[in-house]
Structures are given as C-alpha cells and as structure tokens.
Amino acid sequence: MDSKGPIYRNLVSTIDINRSIDSIEYINFRDINNEFIFREFLSDINSSNDVIELSLINNKAYKESVIMSLNRNISRNTTLIDMIKEEQKTFGGSKLFYLNAAFDKLLVISVPRSMEGKLNMVINRLNKINDKIARLNSKIKKENLEIYMKRQSLKDKKDIILDMINRNLKV
C-alpha cells in the first residue's frame, strides 16, 4: 500500500445522545456564570456568540438547562465538529446549544417554561447534521469503491479486506 497517506477515507460517525436517564441532567439555576456545573461550557458560550444571546445570559434571563452526554467523544473528528458548529447558530447568530471543551456534552439553556421548544429545535439541528453525514458517507463509500476498482489490479490483500469492510459493515 502507499505510505504517503490514506488511500481510503474513513466514514464520519453520526451524532447521538446517550439515552440513559443518568446521562441527562436537568437544572434550574439563577446565574449561569456562578454555577460550577456550567464552567466547562463557558468557553463555547463566550466565543462567536451574538450580543443578544450574551445579553440574555449576563442579565440572567435563562433559568433552565439540560446537559446531555454524547455517545462518543467527537474531539478528534474536525469534520464533525465543523458541522456541529455550523448548525449551532440561528440565523441571527445566537447559539442554540453549547459544547463543552472535551466535545462530549451538549448544553441547552432556556428561559423558564420554554425548554421543550428549544430542545425540539436542537434535536432538529442534530438530525440535520446526521442527514449531512449520511450524504457525506455515501459519497465517501462511492469514492472508496472507485479507488478500489482502480487498485484492483494490484491484488493487495489490504485493498480486498478494506473493500469487504466498506461494502458490508453497517455503520
């Protein structure tokens, strides 16, 4: 095989939330800036957020939060992180949800009695990301098959194994 770099591309993992009851935290609070549990999200809250959202946070308008754990840490997947950051924002530039520094948790904050509506928007965004990933993975599979077909004459066992994995492993 070629040692200059990867010949075949890896598929991108989808976003999924850990659905065990103990992995989800619901919190009522007074001031997000004074709550220890939110410190791991402050970097994302304060970076590339719009003035209105920051004003709501600093004026203590938000009183409810949900912290959800992701099923897998996405910190090593820059493609996935870029997709999430793109879908984090509304048209106005406010962020719908926040990622912690380790990229293994999501935070959703809301004004009182509006958490369900905001969570619904976040879930729709996560579904949108997963749809993009499915299209990207289809393209990657097609490209990998084309590469395999071009390299088939080399009769390299690794190519045969990778083709078998690409064709048959469901992810």
Side-chain angles (χ1 to χ4, degrees):
M1 288 214 100
D2 198 324
S3 62
K4 294 177 185 169
I7 295 171
Y8 297 102
R9 291 176 54 196
N10 277 322
L11 299 180
V12 177
S13 298
T14 56
I15 304 276
D16 195 16
I17 303 296
N18 184 335
R19 296 158 200 236
S20 69
I21 196 77
D22 294 332
S23 71
I24 297 174
E25 297 178 59
Y26 173 81
I27 304 151
N28 282 307
F29 60 93
R30 293 176 195 234
D31 182 359
I32 198 166
N33 293 308
N34 292 333
E35 298 284 338
F36 181 77
I37 196 160
F38 300 124
R39 289 207 176 140
E40 64 184 315
F41 297 96
L42 288 179
S43 176
D44 194 32
I45 289 170
N46 292 311
S47 71
S48 302
N49 214 346
D50 80 333
V51 177
I52 296 169
E53 180 74 2
L54 292 172
S55 178
L56 287 168
I57 291 167
N58 292 329
N59 290 321
K60 303 172 185 139
Y62 290 127
K63 301 293 183 197
E64 292 181 287
S65 70
V66 172
I67 297 175
M68 300 175 283
S69 296
L70 297 176
N71 256 350
R72 62 179 63 89
N73 186 316
I74 61 170
S75 64
R76 288 183 267 160
N77 193 327
T78 56
T79 302
L80 194 50
I81 291 170
D82 290 344
M83 285 181 173
I84 290 172
K85 288 185 181 234
E86 183 181 313
E87 293 299 328
Q88 241 181 329
K89 292 188 171 194
T90 65
F91 294 115
S94 299
K95 290 184 178 180
L96 285 173
F97 59 90
Y98 301 97
L99 293 164
N100 67 344
F103 297 106
D104 62 354
K105 292 180 188 173
L106 292 176
L107 167 68
V108 180
I109 52 177
S110 73
V111 296
R113 295 174 301 284
S114 66
M115 181 55 74
E116 287 182 26
K118 197 153 187 189
L119 271 175
N120 195 35
M121 286 189 287
V122 170
I123 291 166
N124 285 334
R125 291 293 175 101
L126 295 177
N127 284 334
K128 187 175 177 182
I129 293 166
N130 284 340
D131 289 344
K132 284 181 183 179
I133 291 168
R135 288 190 299 276
L136 177 62
N137 284 341
S138 291
K139 181 180 171 189
I140 291 170
K141 284 180 180 180
K142 182 181 176 203
E143 289 170 0
N144 284 348
L145 180 60
E146 288 170 359
I147 291 167
Y148 172 74
M149 297 307 280
K150 287 178 187 173
R151 294 177 52 85
Q152 197 172 16
S153 64
L154 298 176
K155 305 247 189 267
D156 187 331
K157 285 291 187 184
K158 287 183 180 181
D159 279 324
I160 295 167
I161 292 167
L162 282 172
D163 181 60
M164 196 170 146
I165 291 168
N166 283 333
R167 287 180 188 260
N168 299 310
L169 183 64
K170 306 252 189 256
V171 290

